[in-house]
Amino acid sequence: MKNKIIMVSPLLAISFSSCKKTNAQNDNDKGNPSTSNTKIMNVTASFFSSFFTDSEGIVFACGNNSKNQLGYAQASSQYLPVNTIDNISAIASGEYHTLFVKADKTLWVVGNNDFGQLGTGNNNDQQAPVEIASDVIAIAAGKNFSFYIKSDYSLWAMGNNTFGQLGNGNTDNQSRPVKI
């Protein structure tokens, strides 16, 4: 087994074991990148959570999951990467919430929603990813707020707006996406 180091920034380096499945591993063993037949293509890190996407759009996540922000059913820290969601083309993660864009351009959200940062129309946390928008081409997440861009290049925002960071002309928190 050979380790590969991926430099993400001067402060963050990630090490993966590069190995293929053995005959003893079954095809459903997607719980760790070292047992995957594909290569890690993207990495996203947030407050205390990390997300790795392979070439097939399978997401592996590890770290703090106290608000289910990994998209994994157990609300506890995960010390090894676990498979959380598939067919993903983009990930953005805030402090305790995460946005996923699937290959079909649908936007899925999970985790803490105290300020409406998930855009579900309420402030209820989401323990499993839920779809909130379609035709999405880009996403971003702040501490307790989120943005997405649709294919018509319209910008949408949701969540904490204490300092006017959503750019919608006021300081009201937004629990539903608002067009900017």
Side-chain angles (χ1 to χ4, degrees):
M1 194 177 320
K2 181 179 173 186
N3 282 340
K4 290 185 180 180
I5 304 293
I6 300 171
M7 182 62 74
V8 177
S9 77
L11 300 175
L12 176 64
I14 300 167
S15 173
F16 286 106
S17 298
S18 62
C19 63
K20 298 289 184 185
K21 286 184 187 178
T22 66
N23 290 335
Q25 295 171 320
N26 67 39
D27 289 333
N28 294 324
D29 189 5
K30 298 189 299 182
N32 191 314
S34 66
T35 62
S36 175
N37 278 329
T38 57
K39 295 184 174 152
I40 299 300
M41 304 299 288
N42 194 9
V43 61
T44 301
S46 66
F47 203 57
F48 293 114
S49 305
S50 303
F51 301 86
F52 318 104
T53 309
D54 74 8
S55 61
E56 295 176 3
I58 297 170
V59 175
F60 301 93
C62 57
N64 184 353
N65 194 37
S66 61
K67 298 288 187 175
N68 294 95
Q69 66 267 33
L70 298 181
Y72 187 67
Q74 291 181 332
S76 61
S77 292
Q78 299 301 308
Y79 304 113
L80 290 172
V82 292
N83 176 230
T84 61
I85 190 168
D86 296 344
N87 301 315
I88 298 302
S89 62
I91 302 171
S93 188
E95 184 177 19
Y96 294 107
H97 73 288
T98 307
L99 291 76
F100 301 99
V101 176
K102 287 198 169 203
D104 65 1
K105 296 184 181 180
T106 55
L107 175 59
W108 295 72
V109 296
V110 69
N112 181 261
N113 198 28
D114 287 347
F115 295 90
Q117 61 266 40
L118 299 182
T120 57
N122 58 49
N123 288 26
N124 301 331
D125 293 353
Q126 294 296 317
Q127 295 181 354
V130 294
E131 182 181 346
I132 65 154
S134 61
D135 215 20
V136 174
I137 60 170
I139 52 176
K143 181 176 178 181
N144 292 307
F145 59 100
S146 307
F147 292 95
Y148 63 90
I149 300 173
K150 296 187 84 161
S151 64
D152 65 0
Y153 301 104
S154 60
L155 175 63
W156 297 79
M158 55 228 177
N160 188 328
N161 198 25
T162 303
F163 301 101
Q165 63 266 42
L166 299 183
N168 64 338
N170 63 53
T171 57
D172 298 334
N173 294 342
Q174 303 294 319
S175 64
R176 292 187 192 284
V178 293
K179 190 173 181 180
I180 306 302

